[in-house]
Amino acid sequence: MSETKSTHSDACVIIPMYNECENAAAIIEAVLALPVDFDILVIDDNSPDGTAAIVKQKIDEHPGRVRIIERAGKLGLGTAYITGFKDCLAKGYEFICEMDADFSHNPADLIRLRQTAIDEQADVLVGSRYVSGVNVVNWPMGRVLMSFYASKYVQIVTGVPIHDTTAGFVCYRRRVLEALELDKIKFKGYAFQIEMKFTAYKYGFKVVEVPIIFVNRVLGTSKMNSGIFGEAVFGVIRLKWNSFFTKYPDYSRQ
């Protein structure tokens, strides 16, 4: 007889989905199969390809382990995560993670992020492509260079000592998300990832990068576009400028 997993996990992974019918079932099963329990919250932005129906089937198969929030349309990556953060805080999770649906992030690395938080008393764990070289598989060289130098650009402009500031594979302790004023996070696209790390760092939270290997999606279509990249480039300057006029609370561990 197979063992039934506990529905009282201390960790939840938020997976935004839009037109991920090829990946939805597989990514959910991969996370639920991990030897450490991670519950799953899917944020679906009214995918026309039936993604939500697939997720709901998994909810029926794994009661208490998978949930879905359905939104009216594409409202941006940042607002999807903010919605998920608020929901996970209300549910009492200690570790709240972000992960893509397309297997570009290895679900097994969720365990490493959570364990590093425990072992190093860290608050923000970044699954980093660039902390130990360039660990990206199957991306065109142009995109690798754009991503790598975008992170270097953010480092230089902001002074934040994080190698992979645009990373979308992150684990937050709940105290970080409780402290940050989530409704004041301005960016909706991939600049959201930069703003969250920048703000957490300025608040004095301990940020640790955990090296991962990032693999380009095999199924489905990337959501990256030039508008998202432009928001990040100019948003970084605005973040730095605004920081000169902002007094940040100190949440560093004593």
Side-chain angles (χ1 to χ4, degrees):
M1 180 181 292
S2 63
E3 217 174 275
T4 301
K5 284 195 170 187
S6 167
T7 58
H8 300 289
S9 173
D10 65 354
C12 186
V13 56
I14 303 167
I15 309 179
M17 294 191 187
Y18 183 77
N19 286 350
E20 292 288 357
C21 66
E22 300 100 330
N23 295 305
I27 195 71
I28 289 171
E29 291 294 343
V31 172
L32 295 182
L34 295 174
V36 174
D37 284 349
F38 285 82
D39 292 340
I40 298 170
L41 173 61
V42 171
I43 313 293
D44 180 74
D45 277 1
N46 198 26
S47 300
D49 70 346
T51 294
I54 295 170
V55 175
K56 288 173 182 176
Q57 180 179 341
K58 293 301 170 184
I59 291 173
D60 291 339
E61 294 173 9
H62 304 281
R65 300 297 311 283
V66 184
R67 295 178 294 116
I68 187 170
I69 294 176
E70 297 178 86
R71 306 198 300 173
K74 290 185 74 174
L75 302 174
L77 182 73
T79 63
Y81 276 127
I82 295 296
T83 297
F85 291 157
K86 291 179 178 178
D87 183 88
C88 288
L89 288 174
K91 296 291 189 297
Y93 292 102
E94 172 62 23
F95 302 101
I96 300 167
C97 304
E98 307 175 355
M99 190 176 75
D100 290 348
D102 60 7
F103 285 95
S104 55
H105 306 133
N106 184 347
D109 287 334
L110 287 166
I111 298 172
R112 295 173 57 226
L113 297 185
R114 177 183 173 278
Q115 193 60 47
T116 303
I118 295 168
D119 293 344
E120 299 192 24
Q121 285 292 290
D123 302 302
V124 181
L125 294 304
V126 178
S128 179
R129 297 163 290 185
Y130 306 128
V131 71
S132 59
V134 178
N135 294 311
V136 177
V137 176
N138 292 337
W139 256 8
M141 182 54 66
R143 189 167 177 187
V144 173
L145 292 174
M146 182 180 75
S147 173
F148 178 78
Y149 284 110
S151 283
K152 288 297 181 188
Y153 164 78
V154 174
Q155 271 190 296
I156 292 167
V157 172
T158 65
V160 174
I162 300 172
H163 294 82
D164 195 354
T165 49
T166 61
F169 191 32
V170 187
C171 178
Y172 294 97
R173 281 188 180 269
R174 69 175 293 115
R175 80 186 200 111
V176 178
L177 300 179
E178 287 174 333
L180 269 55
E181 297 178 89
L182 295 175
D183 288 330
K184 292 187 177 180
I185 298 295
K186 297 178 177 64
F187 296 115
K188 294 182 178 181
Y190 280 78
F192 162 83
Q193 302 290 5
I194 300 168
E195 185 176 5
M196 287 291 294
K197 296 178 187 70
F198 176 82
T199 308
Y201 172 77
K202 297 296 281 187
Y203 271 50
F205 289 112
K206 183 177 180 180
V207 181
V208 172
E209 291 186 86
V210 178
I212 65 161
I213 296 175
F214 179 96
V215 181
N216 192 29
R217 70 160 63 232
V218 174
L219 300 174
T221 305
S222 171
K223 312 306 186 291
M224 178 66 74
N225 58 52
S226 58
I228 288 171
F229 184 68
E231 180 198 48
V233 169
F234 296 108
V236 169
I237 297 171
R238 196 185 321 164
L239 274 178
K240 182 63 175 178
W241 176 256
N242 290 341
S243 73
F244 292 128
F245 310 100
T246 303
K247 182 173 175 56
Y248 296 95
D250 183 6
Y251 282 86
S252 56
R253 294 175 185 268
Q254 301 303 317

